[in-house]
Every structure is written in structure tokens, then in C-alpha cells.
Amino acid sequence: MASTNRAVVFHNPQDMRVDTLDFPKLQMPNGKKAPHGVILRIVATNICGSDLHIWRGSFPVPEGMVMGHEMTGEVVEVGPDVEFLSEGDIVSVPFNVACGRCRNCRARRTDVCETTNPAVSCGAYGFNLGDWTGGQAEYLFVPYADFQLLRFPDRDQAMAKMRDLALLSDILPTAFHGLMEAGAKPGSTVYIAGAGPVGRCGAAAARLLGASCIIVGDYHQDRLELMRQNGCETIDLSQDVPLTDQIEAILGEPMVDCAVDYVGSEAHGIGRESQDMNPAYAINQVLDATRAGGATGIIGVYGPDPLAKSKAEQEGTFPIDFGKAWIKSPRIAAGQAPIMHYNRELMQAILWDRMPYLSDMLNTKIISLDEAPAAYGTFDTGVSDKFIIDPHGLIPA
């Protein structure tokens, strides 16, 4: 067993470093022993678009915090109260830290666990939500392991499909959740705001659901080309044409059945406003694009942002065009996804080859732990890659 743990650590905005830390213990952030936990050797740990909020300084975290919340690992140490997991199991770690015991967890609302963060009903790894250590590291402690961890049924099969299965910890179930909240179903027309990795997962999930026309809007041409190659219609948001006009040019009507905002508070405008950042742009775009009686999912991260222009936006108050949207009787759902609500079914879809296009749409790129700090800067330029960190060199080429 190793005695140390190398990890990607936040020092300042745009300053991530690989530091050597102590090997994790079966211990909660408050120091209490955790016999219900396990230690994982990390097989895959991804850089998420949400991590970029931290990298840029939009989401403040303490110096020295270990980054990462999208982890897949091998069980190497088992607490004495763990009954259903064994050393050697390959598992997916939902990014929501959830106890499995509170009212919300028992209702499968693991996104708002009431006990894993004393400040608010929401715990997450590597995101300053409950002091949970992140997983962009060689090893990770996971509490409440019997409840939280999704075990893959066959080790060899899991390793062979790791590029896809690594997406189960966050972005694929998160993308799917956005579509569920927006009411997507077979035959639906769907607008996806943002062709970053989670938006591309949304397009893949819309295909799995049988959506008819999947329209993806973005500014980056390589991302849009990747979507076109995988059967989606695209909208170049840098063009000075209203979004609804561009939708009408595709569908023959200026609206879709459902729309999902996968961008969040760092959204930009359309056309001449495409260089301007405004936290409310993406929300207002999806509200405008959704038909009367339709629904929208707000999956992008929103919250107080110290980099925003106005004092209100810095405090997390945004100018939503709700008065204009109200007459359409909209249904709006927002927040983090309860990963455990979807991850098992999506795992089965991957294992049984119902999403063979997933890796192509995500454009996954495997990197080492030492390459991770530089990959943050590359990712922030808008490249079409989804970076998966392989700390131990375990993922097949």
C-alpha cells in the first residue's frame, strides 16, 4: 500500500499544482472515524467544466483544496462496516456526497443530502461543499460506500469501456437529468445550449431517448463540427441572427419542445454580444426558445460570482426575463443532478452498446496526473477535448 497521495491542488486562480499529500484515511472531514467508507485507487478522474469555475476564480475555494469530482476507482481498502464491496471492485463515484440515511437521500434526492455539508444541504467532492477532498489524485476516501458507489459487474468489461464509464460520475447523468427535467422523450425537438462536454453528453443522451431533431448552439467551430459529425443540427451563436430565427430555419418554427442550459453563469450573448459575458444570457435563451407549455432544464452552474460585472450578479442575483416567459406557462427546473437516480441505467446502456457514439461525441483524451495543471488552461480555451486523468496508467490505449 502506498504511503503518500499525489493530487491536483488549487493554490490560486489559474494556478493548479500536483502536490504530494498524506495517504487518505477512513476518516470524515470532521475527524470522525468512517467504518462505512473505502479507499479507492483512482482509475479515471476527469476535468469538468465546473472545475473551470474554480480555475478562473468564479467559484471561491480555499487554497490547498484537492480538485476533482468525477472519479472512477478500484477498491483497495474496505472499512469494517462495508458489506457489499470488496477489494478489487471497480466502481463509479457519484459526485454528490450523500449519506443514504436522511430524508432527501431516502427519496433518491442525493443532490440535496441533509447531512454531508453542515453549511447547506449539498455535499460534493473537490468543490468546497462540505470540505470533501477531491479525486484528481492517486487515491480517494469515499464515505457511506455501500450506498454511494456503483459497482461495475465485470472488471475486464469495465476496463475495456472505461472511456465511456468514466462519464457516469457526473456529466452523463447530469446531462440526462437536464433532459428529464425538460420533458424530453421519443420524437421531441431539443435545443441544447452549449457544446462543451456536458452539452455533448446531453446530445448523446437525447439520441438515447429517441429525440427527433437535436439542435446544439455554441461559438466554437470545432465543437459544432463534432456535433454535426454525430447527427446534430447546429447553431453558430456568434452569428448576428436571433436564436429563434435560427431555430426556425432548421425546424420551420421558431421553438423547440424542450431546451436545456448546459452553460451556467459564464454565458455569452449572441452575435454582436457574443464577446460579452452575462450570467443570465443562457437562461433567457432557453426560455425564449422553448414552446408554450414546454419545459427547460437549468443544469449550468449558477451562484455568487466575484468576477461578475454588477454587485447584484456578484451576489448571485440575475436579470431573468421571467415576465416575457410567464405567458408561455413554462416549467423550469434547476440545480445539481442526483447522479444515483440515473447512473445504473446509463451504465447498462453503455455496457450493452446502446451508446456506441459516446466517446466520439465527447472526444475523450487520456492524460497523466502531471499533465493535468496544463490541461486546465487548454480546456479553458474552448477546445473540444474531454480530459480524463489516468493517475496510474491503467486505461487501455
Side-chain angles (χ1 to χ4, degrees):
M1 187 73 71
S3 59
T4 58
N5 183 28
R6 298 178 71 241
V8 178
V9 174
F10 173 87
H11 285 269
N12 286 292
Q14 303 183 33
D15 182 10
M16 303 292 185
R17 306 175 201 171
V18 177
D19 293 346
T20 299
L21 310 172
D22 292 337
F23 191 82
K25 300 177 182 179
L26 296 175
Q27 182 175 298
M28 304 290 273
N30 62 7
K32 185 179 178 180
K33 290 183 179 180
H36 46 71
V38 300
I39 306 296
L40 301 181
R41 178 171 70 152
I42 295 298
V43 174
T45 176
N46 316 331
I47 301 178
C48 178
S50 298
D51 294 327
L52 290 182
H53 294 286
I54 298 173
W55 188 82
R56 294 168 184 148
S58 293
F59 191 93
V61 301
E63 182 179 359
M65 188 191 78
V66 177
M67 295 291 298
H69 58 271
E70 297 188 3
M71 293 81 67
T72 309
E74 176 189 11
V75 178
V76 295
E77 184 178 341
V78 180
D81 285 353
V82 175
E83 297 186 19
F84 303 108
L85 295 166
S86 303
E87 291 184 17
D89 286 344
I90 305 296
V91 296
S92 179
V93 185
F95 83 87
N96 323 108
V97 187
C99 68
R101 305 169 181 182
C102 70
R103 174 182 178 179
N104 285 339
C105 283
R106 288 164 67 89
R108 297 184 74 186
R109 290 299 309 275
T110 54
D111 53 318
V112 282
C113 174
E114 297 175 317
T115 71
T116 51
N117 183 352
V120 65
S121 294
C122 175
Y125 300 94
F127 221 84
N128 196 27
L129 291 169
D131 295 325
W132 296 99
T133 297
Q136 288 175 9
E138 294 176 324
Y139 298 92
L140 175 73
F141 159 65
V142 176
Y144 309 112
D146 278 333
F147 174 69
Q148 284 207 100
L149 294 177
L150 174 65
R151 184 178 68 84
F152 300 136
D154 182 89
R155 179 189 177 92
D156 292 339
Q157 183 189 35
M159 293 305 300
K161 294 181 178 291
M162 187 51 63
R163 283 176 178 262
D164 290 348
L165 294 172
L167 307 174
L168 290 172
S169 54
D170 179 4
I171 62 170
L172 183 56
T174 289
F176 195 85
H177 175 65
L179 292 165
M180 291 293 95
E181 295 296 275
K185 58 186 178 182
S188 294
T189 56
V190 178
Y191 175 66
I192 289 172
V198 68
R200 299 201 297 275
C201 274
R207 282 183 61 175
L208 179 67
L209 287 167
S212 55
C213 183
I214 304 166
I215 305 172
V216 184
D218 205 288
Y219 310 90
H220 298 280
Q221 298 306 312
D222 55 342
R223 291 179 173 183
L224 294 175
E225 178 58 29
L226 194 59
M227 293 290 85
R228 285 191 289 269
Q229 292 172 4
N230 285 277
C232 298
E233 302 294 325
T234 60
I235 288 177
D236 182 354
L237 296 176
S238 65
Q239 298 298 309
D240 201 25
V241 180
L243 176 61
T244 51
D245 288 359
Q246 296 193 62
I247 291 173
E248 185 171 20
I250 295 169
L251 286 176
E253 57 181 356
M255 64 198 77
V256 292
D257 295 324
C258 47
V260 186
D261 163 18
Y262 289 117
V263 180
S265 62
E266 293 179 328
H268 290 70
I270 294 175
R272 280 170 284 188
E273 297 179 329
S274 61
Q275 300 302 314
D276 299 332
M277 192 172 78
N278 184 311
Y281 273 141
I283 292 180
N284 288 328
Q285 288 167 16
V286 296
L287 288 173
D288 192 33
T290 305
R291 67 174 178 84
T296 60
I298 310 298
I299 298 304
V301 175
Y302 288 89
D305 181 354
L307 302 183
K309 294 180 181 179
S310 71
K311 186 175 186 297
E313 290 165 353
Q314 290 170 10
E315 295 172 349
T317 301
F318 309 123
I320 307 301
D321 291 339
F322 193 68
K324 189 170 85 172
W326 180 88
I327 196 66
K328 295 163 70 173
S329 295
R331 184 166 64 86
I332 304 167
Q336 295 185 15
I339 299 303
M340 292 177 66
H341 199 75
Y342 310 103
N343 62 353
R344 182 173 297 278
E345 289 80 2
L346 290 169
M347 173 190 74
Q348 296 286 40
I350 291 170
L351 294 179
W352 288 96
D353 295 321
R354 295 298 180 258
M355 305 182 78
Y357 43 80
L358 189 56
S359 287
D360 288 342
M361 294 181 86
L362 266 291
N363 204 30
T364 52
K365 183 176 182 180
I366 308 299
I367 62 173
S368 70
L369 193 64
D370 289 311
E371 292 174 301
Y376 270 88
T378 302
F379 190 18
D380 194 42
T381 65
V383 298
S384 59
D385 298 317
K386 170 64 175 178
F387 292 104
I388 298 178
I389 304 167
D390 180 2
H392 298 281
L394 298 173
I395 300 175

